[in-house]
Amino acid sequence: MSFQDLGLSPKLLSALADAGFTTPTSVQVAAIPKALAGSDLMVSAQTGSGKTAAFMLPALNRIAQNADRGVGVQVLVLTPTRELAMQVTDATIAYGKNLSDLRTATIVGGMPYGAQLKALSRRIDVLVATPGRLLDHLQAGRVKLSTVHTLVLDEADRMLDMGFIEDIETIVGRLPKERQTLLFSATLDGNIAKLGATLMNNPERLELAGQKEKHSNITQSLYYADDLSHKLQLLDHVLRDAALDQAIVFTSTKRGADDLADRLSEQGFSAAALHGDMNQRQRTRTLTMLQRGALKILVATDVAARGIDVQGISHAVNFDLPMQAEDYVHRIGRTGRAGRSGLAFTLATHSERHKIRRIESFTGQTIDAQTIPGLEPKRSARPSSDRPGGKPFNKRSGPSRGGFGGGRPAFGGNGGGYEGRGKPAARPSFNARPEGAGGGYRGDRPEGGSRPERSEGFRAERSEGFRADAPRPSFGFRGDGDRPARPHGAAPAGAPRGPKPAFGKREGAPAKRFGKPAHAERRD
């Protein structure tokens, strides 16, 4: 089937031909005829499947048939992020270049109000916006939406995840009831189904993103890492692949993106970060460099990467695992665009096996675990419980904390106690305190007192349990064979119970020293 078979305007067909689009994708074949017929649609489609054209071409087709262009905003597209809004705007301009005097405006956060006020003071045919900033202008009376005939909710699931539901409901309340609504989402259940029932009129459901059919053109690989240092070595190996054109590396935190981008730059890679704390000028400059090929590696968070459509991205790397299994699909979809093949790599610690299983369950695909010669992980998912001195490690692989960047996960989440959610795991047991730590637990020190690589600026949380002016807490010292029983006040096995002797009153016992207990002096 060709675009000519879908019933589009000749002007749109000419623009598509000029842009090199000759064959519609499956989502376009399914959605465009129904949208041209005026139906409300709820569509689930994988990222990179051509869904922008699936909703924008029917909307522009309706504008092309409408001779009166001075009525006001006719098409409103709501997106979760600035980058996705920019992408939709660029596609709209390309598809509608043969429509006489088509005017498009973009209203997003992070951009100066002056330029937006100027755009809103003129006639607008297609308005692409993020909900928060549009609501600001709407409540200030700077934009009217009473003439909208087509509403598009692009990546509606992400907008709900970001807390835009109330903004969306307020905006939709200003739209005409007689309108067409097109909703696109990764899934159509749960809150998305409720939203569709509330905002749409007998919508047709098109579920084109069957989980087992996702990303057949992307080769997915999984590498297990023992700790942060091991993970960085694996990342270095992946990024030095001779077949790499451009890569996008995902972290779970903004600071983690900055740290990793800095580290890669120091190692000679052309790398930069992209995240929500950057202003629009910085984000636009970074994306422009990426699109022009001046930037080799982009280190990004999930939200910032939504909507990035750069065909030169050959590798997608999950340095930190995503919070939601669904985000994994969006991440790897940044490669393999427009039918090209792509490579997706996931770096996980042994403690994150359950997250890998959730991703596999969501996608219906098994991610093959592989090894790199010379960089194989330890065979055991957990370290031995024995270490010099008879004291066990914490129940995690490697040191209890890793990386750098005081109080935040190193590059997001890693095997050092963080699990990619942007918050620390449970505080370690006092049993895992290294020998000779004295007045407090130092979670950043692995066995032997050495620090993880690049730990500058890291300050481990200190326990308040060991103070020189307070008695030593008793938890964790049970004398049950895991470690020696406490030397003071402990009765021999089988001895009759009796009153406890006071500290310092036992025969032959050393003088009481609260600041430095006797058992802390041992160096076994």
Side-chain angles (χ1 to χ4, degrees):
M1 178 176 287
S2 66
F3 282 107
Q4 286 84 352
D5 300 323
L6 300 181
L8 293 170
S9 163
K11 292 182 178 180
L12 294 178
L13 293 174
S14 175
L16 289 171
D18 291 343
F21 297 108
T22 56
T23 304
T25 65
S26 59
V27 64
Q28 293 163 2
V29 170
I32 289 177
K34 293 182 181 298
L36 289 174
S39 301
D40 282 7
L41 299 180
M42 295 179 65
V43 183
S44 69
Q46 69 185 53
T47 182
S49 61
K51 59 186 176 64
T52 302
F55 63 71
M56 189 51 68
L57 289 175
L60 293 177
N61 197 80
R62 187 165 177 175
I63 291 177
Q65 296 173 348
N66 185 359
D68 185 4
R69 292 287 182 82
V71 297
V73 179
Q74 299 181 63
V75 178
L76 173 62
V77 182
L78 295 180
T79 71
T81 67
R82 291 172 275 187
E83 284 71 30
L84 184 55
M86 298 296 184
Q87 176 187 328
V88 172
T89 300
D90 291 343
T92 302
I93 294 173
Y95 299 151
K97 71 173 188 174
N98 294 330
L99 302 184
S100 60
D101 198 25
L102 178 71
R103 294 194 177 181
T104 303
T106 308
I107 303 298
V108 296
M111 294 184 67
Y113 270 91
Q116 296 183 5
L117 293 176
K118 184 177 180 180
L120 292 174
S121 66
R122 302 173 178 176
R123 175 178 62 82
I124 299 174
D125 298 311
V126 179
L127 180 59
V128 185
T130 50
R133 179 57 65 89
L134 177 60
L135 187 59
D136 289 345
H137 289 293
L138 193 61
Q139 292 175 337
R142 292 187 284 263
V143 60
K144 297 185 182 301
L145 303 176
S146 58
T147 56
V148 171
H149 59 65
T150 303
L151 168 66
V152 179
L153 301 175
D154 192 12
E155 295 197 4
D157 53 329
R158 177 57 60 181
M159 288 194 283
L160 296 192
D161 290 344
M162 296 172 66
F164 284 135
I165 178 62
E166 293 183 0
D167 292 350
I168 293 173
E169 291 174 342
T170 302
I171 292 169
V172 172
R174 305 286 187 94
L175 301 178
K177 292 185 178 179
E178 296 298 324
R179 68 174 187 276
Q180 182 181 33
T181 303
L182 308 175
L183 181 152
F184 286 74
S185 171
T187 59
L188 298 180
D189 9 356
N191 291 329
I192 294 297
K194 295 178 183 178
L195 180 66
T198 303
L199 305 182
M200 307 177 77
N201 179 29
N202 297 323
E204 293 190 46
R205 296 169 62 102
L206 300 176
E207 300 196 43
L208 304 172
Q211 305 301 337
K212 295 184 179 180
E213 300 175 0
K214 288 178 183 280
H215 301 310
S216 58
N217 61 324
I218 299 176
T219 302
Q220 303 174 48
S221 302
L222 169 64
Y223 296 115
Y224 277 106
D226 297 314
D227 51 28
L228 174 63
S229 177
H230 188 193
K231 184 183 286 190
L232 289 170
Q233 294 177 52
L234 293 172
L235 177 64
D236 182 83
H237 178 88
V238 169
L239 296 182
R240 295 188 187 278
D241 182 1
L244 185 146
D245 293 326
Q246 289 177 297
I248 182 167
V249 181
F250 288 95
T251 65
S252 60
T253 67
K254 303 169 187 175
R255 298 296 298 272
D258 281 333
D259 289 339
L260 184 54
D262 289 345
R263 185 185 187 100
L264 292 175
S265 296
E266 292 172 0
Q267 293 175 345
F269 292 102
S270 173
L274 183 71
H275 55 72
D277 281 351
M278 299 167 62
N279 61 43
Q280 187 58 40
R281 182 178 60 82
Q282 294 171 319
R283 292 157 71 106
T284 301
R285 179 176 178 272
T286 300
L287 286 175
T288 300
M289 291 175 61
L290 185 69
Q291 291 166 345
R292 292 177 177 175
L295 189 64
K296 194 83 168 177
I297 300 168
L298 181 70
V299 185
T301 55
D302 285 303
V303 172
R306 298 293 278 229
I308 292 179
D309 187 5
V310 178
Q311 296 182 0
I313 295 178
S314 57
H315 291 51
V317 184
N318 293 296
F319 187 82
D320 298 329
L321 289 184
M323 184 179 298
Q324 304 293 335
E326 175 187 317
D327 290 330
Y328 173 86
V329 177
H330 288 281
R331 285 183 175 192
I332 69 173
R334 297 306 108 193
T335 185
R337 308 292 287 185
R340 292 175 170 81
S341 60
L343 299 174
F345 300 88
T346 297
L347 312 181
T349 61
H350 299 297
S351 62
E352 294 174 318
R353 292 176 186 267
H354 65 289
K355 294 184 179 181
I356 298 297
R357 287 194 292 269
R358 283 205 300 265
I359 291 172
E360 292 176 333
S361 176
F362 180 81
T363 61
Q365 296 176 322
T366 299
I367 309 175
D368 294 330
Q370 301 179 13
T371 59
I372 298 172
L375 293 176
E376 299 89 348
K378 297 178 181 177
R379 290 189 176 275
S380 174
R382 293 182 177 180
S384 170
S385 61
D386 296 324
R387 59 184 266 204
K391 295 190 177 183
F393 253 134
N394 221 3
K395 293 292 185 181
R396 294 189 288 262
S397 58
S400 61
R401 291 189 189 273
F404 53 89
R408 65 179 186 272
F411 310 142
N414 53 61
Y418 286 85
E419 296 187 352
R421 296 178 179 266
K423 61 182 181 180
R427 294 187 64 166
S429 163
F430 289 150
N431 290 354
R433 190 171 65 92
E435 289 285 355
Y441 178 78
R442 289 297 300 269
D444 57 338
R445 291 183 183 272
E447 178 182 357
S450 61
R451 294 180 181 272
E453 187 177 359
R454 280 189 63 124
S455 60
E456 62 269 19
F458 186 96
R459 295 182 181 179
E461 296 179 5
R462 290 182 176 272
S463 165
E464 298 296 331
F466 298 111
R467 299 197 324 235
D469 58 347
R472 188 87 170 178
S474 61
F475 38 82
F477 296 87
R478 299 189 302 271
D480 56 4
D482 290 319
R483 61 173 69 215
R486 296 184 62 173
H488 42 274
R497 289 181 175 270
K500 281 187 177 182
F503 284 154
K505 298 300 183 182
R506 290 173 294 134
E507 183 177 354
K512 172 176 64 176
R513 291 183 295 175
F514 286 107
K516 193 172 184 181
H519 68 280
E521 298 177 336
R522 294 179 304 150
R523 292 292 185 271
D524 50 354

